[in-house]
Amino acid sequence: AVGQVYKPSTLEGMQLALEEQYVAQGMYGASVELEIDEQERNRVALNIKITEGDASKIVHINIVGNTIFTDKDLLDLFELRTTHLTSFFKKDDRYAREKINGDLERLTSYYMDQGYINFDITSTQVSVSPDKEQVYLTINIAEGEKYTVKAVELAGDLVDSEQLLRLVLQVREGQVFSQQLVTSTSEFMTQLLGNRGYFFAEVEGVP
């Protein structure tokens, strides 16, 4: 800011932070240059020159390790897409870190709701072409085994009737495990206890 003591290390950190913001938005060709203009009375003027360039386009998304579901089934869950006819308007082929993180969360939830409780995304690689215009995504996953529910127990400080709490229990013995059902059951139980005056009740599903 104007009036601060001039520190080259601070400027370098700012330059790297700006470049990192562009990379996070998939603009790998962007560059940030700093020009220092020495002035009278022991002052400097700072000029920040930014060349944004074009956003890098996703040309390939590869999921490795899936045997239960097809690539198409999994990629249909994603917000990001490889370049297609309507990408110019939707801009869904532009790599952005927050978008890929959201897609990976949806991928994890999909497996967890299908019984694959030990599903794991082992690594994610982002490769950029030499001209920095094309992006290649590779997502390595480990599906694990499919689980069913063997038993459902209520434990902890049961201040209210266990029979009442079981009325909102959506998880049943013999069902394929679903994290969504576990989460919704916890929410219903918390709401039920809250309606009965237990405003600080905490319910957690532990598989």
Side-chain angles (χ1 to χ4, degrees), residues 2-47:
V2 174
Q4 283 185 339
V5 175
Y6 168 64
K7 295 181 180 179
S9 59
T10 301
L11 292 182
E12 182 180 355
M14 181 188 68
Q15 181 181 15
L16 293 175
L18 287 172
E19 292 174 347
E20 175 65 20
Q21 285 296 316
Y22 279 105
V23 169
Q25 298 301 319
M27 303 182 74
Y28 290 94
S31 63
V32 179
E33 297 180 9
L34 302 180
E35 297 178 355
I36 308 300
D37 183 16
E38 295 186 13
Q39 299 184 339
E40 59 183 6
R41 297 197 301 275
N42 204 31
R43 297 178 303 160
V44 296
L46 172 63
N47 298 317

Side-chain angles (χ1 to χ4, degrees), residues 61-84:
I61 303 176
N62 186 30
I63 299 178
V64 179
N66 55 309
T67 58
I68 307 301
F69 304 106
T70 65
D71 289 353
K72 183 181 183 305
D73 289 337
L74 300 182
L75 291 176
D76 283 345
L77 303 170
F78 284 28
E79 179 182 353
L80 290 176
R81 296 280 189 270
T82 56
T83 301
H84 55 90

Side-chain angles (χ1 to χ4, degrees), residues 101-116:
N101 288 340
D103 287 343
L104 295 181
E105 289 180 5
R106 280 187 286 273
L107 180 62
T108 300
S109 296
Y110 183 75
Y111 269 94
M112 292 286 285
D113 292 339
Q114 304 292 327
Y116 296 91

